[in-house]
Amino acid sequence: MLVQLKEETLEENKSKDIQKKAKPYKLVEKKHDNHRTVIEVKGVLIGGPEVLALAGPCAVEGLESLRETAKVVKASGAKILRASAFKPRSSPYSFQGLGEEGLKIQRQVADELNLIIETEVMDPRDVALVEEYVDILRIGSRNMQNFDLLKEVGKCKKPVILKRGLSATIEEWLLAAEYIMAHGNHQVILCERGIRTFENATRNTLDLSAVAVAKEMTHLPVIVDPSHAAGRVDIILPLSRAAIAIGADGLLVEVHHDRENALCDGAQSLRPEDFDLLMKECSSIANSIGRKML
Amino acid sequence: MLVQLKEETLEENKSKDIQKKAKPYKLVEKKHDNHRTVIEVKGVLIGGPEVLALAGPCAVEGLESLRETAKVVKASGAKILRASAFKPRSSPYSFQGLGEEGLKIQRQVADELNLIIETEVMDPRDVALVEEYVDILRIGSRNMQNFDLLKEVGKCKKPVILKRGLSATIEEWLLAAEYIMAHGNHQVILCERGIRTFENATRNTLDLSAVAVAKEMTHLPVIVDPSHAAGRVDIILPLSRAAIAIGADGLLVEVHHDRENALCDGAQSLRPEDFDLLMKECSSIANSIGRKML
Amino acid sequence: MLVQLKEETLEENKSKDIQKKAKPYKLVEKKHDNHRTVIEVKGVLIGGPEVLALAGPCAVEGLESLRETAKVVKASGAKILRASAFKPRSSPYSFQGLGEEGLKIQRQVADELNLIIETEVMDPRDVALVEEYVDILRIGSRNMQNFDLLKEVGKCKKPVILKRGLSATIEEWLLAAEYIMAHGNHQVILCERGIRTFENATRNTLDLSAVAVAKEMTHLPVIVDPSHAAGRVDIILPLSRAAIAIGADGLLVEVHHDRENALCDGAQSLRPEDFDLLMKECSSIANSIGRKML
Amino acid sequence: MLVQLKEETLEENKSKDIQKKAKPYKLVEKKHDNHRTVIEVKGVLIGGPEVLALAGPCAVEGLESLRETAKVVKASGAKILRASAFKPRSSPYSFQGLGEEGLKIQRQVADELNLIIETEVMDPRDVALVEEYVDILRIGSRNMQNFDLLKEVGKCKKPVILKRGLSATIEEWLLAAEYIMAHGNHQVILCERGIRTFENATRNTLDLSAVAVAKEMTHLPVIVDPSHAAGRVDIILPLSRAAIAIGADGLLVEVHHDRENALCDGAQSLRPEDFDLLMKECSSIANSIGRKML
């Protein structure tokens, strides 16, 4: 008969080790249970009791089109309009975005409809330009460890959404936020958007545990992008409900008023009526945990 | 200047392809939107409007100990007692479980407290024995593609919980369920318990998208095991809320009345008071989506 | 300006930690630099200076067919014939193998051609039967942590090839070998066959580093299966050369005399002429590192 | 009894699909079997019959230190000196490199010893500066999809080493090369450096299959960085042998004349005597496949 020892394997020891390790970050660290950063943008609070929707098309395609989608997301309760003027595309032959023309369109639509606007910035040389036009800057997952870009947005006065890299550990994600904070900008919003795994039924695997873990480790607000994680429209509603239930401070959702003709990501963009339903169901979840969304 | 084509890369085409493919399974397939299998065990319905808690220690450690934990999980609202008499352990020198003695203890405690009992079966030669003692059999993630074991439980008259393999695709998970159904047992309950990824902050990465995807593909009930996925106790409550919000039909949770002295998985077992809080919070989420838990 | 500390992140500390940890295994451990187990089967040495080829079809399909492939692999220099009579298939509707009839065919062909035969065993109840017919038993990757099966082959008198699980760490692989050795059978041959990752260009990702790492950690022979890892025939030759160069003690390769009509895995089976070329090229690599193959 | 169909699952169909798909790239594509790009730098050919060593310290630490390591790698047969003046570090508090001062040191050492020098560029604003000093530019894995950086080096006249991203598919890697070529620079050298998987025994998992697959898909030279993949010094020699055997056109290896005092990556840097042995063993492998290294 074999001797039975109460020995543990490396796998079993893993999370324990991590918790004991000295933390390599400082500014992002949650110092006590009630330590939370709330970021204010034109009267809207991110990271407070309200759960926010940041909704809109993948890309700015033109003035009429953005205005149309902006109206529908506003009507359903979104206060922040998402849209990209600079697009990171795997292929050099794919639509790369409208650039500064797109930023102007975003500003115009936001002003007309009294919405807050956020957009992606990819190149350190564009940071000043982008900051001029929009209210919130976004670092995409491919650029999470583009350290020169992080340093540049670290000098901005406006909030930055920092998407988690496709294969970034939570620690690396927090260290990327630390870069931004260490260069002076303390208004960082973390965004979980799916990690790359072996599973093919979804484009990426939304790691909702990472939201719960990040909430334990940092005082920064954490939002969730179910659209890029799923890559398919049929599970965005349940993923959004789960994100709110786990404690996310907001949702970054792709919505298009005419998704069949979207220039990119049509397959994962919600129709207006589905986004409206999403807002209602998520609002109900938010209420059940003592927060509000509508 | 580069010509801009609306070409898509393989990555962008991925989920679309999958949806168009001929499905390799038959019996597990959801045939229409309202197609749901509800499994009845001693008056308790799995997969119906009620969300269930299956709670208890990792392993059966002895009569007193199991009875103690059983009382606390029952008091908080669990109707099904989880516990393993046969333990799959990475090391041959780790505690391997009490075997038949454990099954007897489980039966006794279940009868005393009027609880339903579930347990893992690992060896095709033990299936008849296990079926004799418990109400629900469980196939662990390491055995999800132990096809001879699947065939054997396929001949059982009692329901089977089928945990997803650590690196099994959703399709392979459904095909494993198809094995059980093809051999005659249509009472299969799928259980998502985390997949293996690069992330080290959690033991595994709970793939909640898989619950939403499985609910689209199959009529079978789907439950979630946040304990094995997390491997750390501090995020089990938010993960459980998210699981209910996404549409899981139940939670498989490790609880121990004295976790400091648990023979295995103490680090991920909830204390009685934390489990009680979990039940209350999850009940509130269940209500907000039109289901009930308490 | 930022203070620059020489601090390291968790990621950077990872391998160092692992090397410092107490090892959870005992019998598989390499005790000194020259500690190597050499396994003898009918005069052929596995783990010695010679690098071996274990070649043949995925499945036993019939007497004529196996004999035909056996002749060609023998002609090219293989001393061990691979073929499965019991097939682990993802779908219950796929070809499941010929069972005992297949074992008889294997024995007959091996005896006619004076070859050593190896085959997979999946069910603990079949171990005695399989041991009766073949010279080497094989545990497939799906069963690497089928602990009851490991215990059963641990009682055998014949060598066991232990394939690494699709998502098993090297440590878990060695612990699975420890199970077999702890139950009495010290003739274990490890087989790397690809792990599951996000990459889709190959069926799995052949982890050749694992061969080098395993050779540092254990005295057991290590072989490589490029066929199941690649899932495509066009890179099997270079993968095989690399496997020999890194120090593998053998190759487990799928070859079929008529791959277009193979009942399974035709797409990854080598044609006879390609296998012949593989043997010549690998022999040349073997010579360059002081070993021999032909 | 179950009907047995010859149906294949998604997993089994995977690689076949990929091979049939229309290719999203154009300029990187291999048009016929003998289609190979050979890049010439100061008389040294990359992608020709000779296999090259690109060796040196992780970072430029100072003139004396770089000169010392450069001498030893040259003595062992390396023709290209690797070293980084700009360092992408996970933490903002880690050593970030010497910047332009480092570039000057590299140029001086290269000129003194008649070596070719390569270095990493991270910021599109630094490309012109870096191109002025060094012979070959390098894009690190974190920046593989930093599209503005790719476009910028696409305008350079000097060769670019493009490291594969930590979780980039081979297709995405080739599309990143396509970006560089589409903007005018056809001198791209691909570099496999390990992908992120669940395995913790190595820092990353060196994907040698990717070298074989890339060699099938593209005419560009492919080199391998075993140092960053392994993250541990004890398996770099066998990994290097395997890389040559599979067909790599070069090795990018970290060597330090005094690794105990290296400012970064000391744990994975080879000692001079180990690098010398590596060159001899790899040369022997190269000869056995009809190439040369020394």
Side-chain angles (χ1 to χ4, degrees), chain A residues 283-291, chain B residues 281 284-285 288:
Chain A
S283 167
S284 171
I285 298 282
N287 292 341
S288 78
I289 57 166
R291 300 181 79 168
Chain B
E281 294 201 4
S284 171
I285 299 282
S288 77

Side-chain angles (χ1 to χ4, degrees), chain B residues 89 93 167 178-179 196, chain C residues 89 93 167 178-179 196:
Chain B
R89 303 304 296 273
Y93 309 117
S167 67
E178 186 86 15
Y179 260 94
R196 198 160 261 187
Chain C
R89 302 304 296 273
Y93 309 116
S167 65
E178 185 86 15
Y179 260 94
R196 198 160 261 186

Side-chain angles (χ1 to χ4, degrees), chain C residues 30-95:
Chain C
K30 191 178 183 175
K31 299 292 193 301
H32 53 83
D33 278 359
N34 298 318
H35 186 190
R36 294 191 66 156
T37 286
V38 178
I39 295 169
E40 194 262 325
V41 189
K42 297 183 171 173
V44 171
L45 301 183
I46 304 169
E50 187 177 350
V51 180
L52 294 166
L54 303 83
C58 173
V60 184
E61 300 169 2
L63 178 61
E64 293 309 316
S65 172
L66 186 63
R67 186 188 282 136
E68 213 49 53
T69 296
K71 280 179 188 168
V72 305
V73 302
K74 183 175 179 173
S76 295
K79 292 177 181 168
I80 305 179
L81 178 64
R82 66 144 285 142
S84 296
F86 298 98
K87 295 292 311 161
R89 302 304 296 273
S90 298
S91 165
Y93 309 116
S94 299
F95 173 59

Side-chain angles (χ1 to χ4, degrees), chain B residues 88-93 96 122-125 142 145-148 151-152 167 172 175 178-179 196, chain C residues 88-93 96 122-125 142 145-148 151-152 167 172 175 178-179 196:
Chain B
R89 303 304 296 273
S90 298
S91 165
Y93 309 117
Q96 309 272 316
M122 295 165 59
D123 187 329
R125 296 167 297 190
R142 290 176 183 83
Q145 291 194 317
N146 181 339
F147 299 116
D148 293 292
K151 290 172 186 173
E152 211 60 50
S167 67
E172 289 168 339
L175 282 168
E178 186 86 15
Y179 260 94
R196 198 160 261 187
Chain C
R89 302 304 296 273
S90 298
S91 165
Y93 309 116
Q96 309 272 315
M122 295 164 59
D123 187 328
R125 295 167 297 189
R142 289 176 184 81
Q145 291 193 317
N146 180 338
F147 299 116
D148 293 291
K151 291 172 185 174
E152 210 60 48
S167 65
E172 289 168 339
L175 282 168
E178 185 86 15
Y179 260 94
R196 198 160 261 186

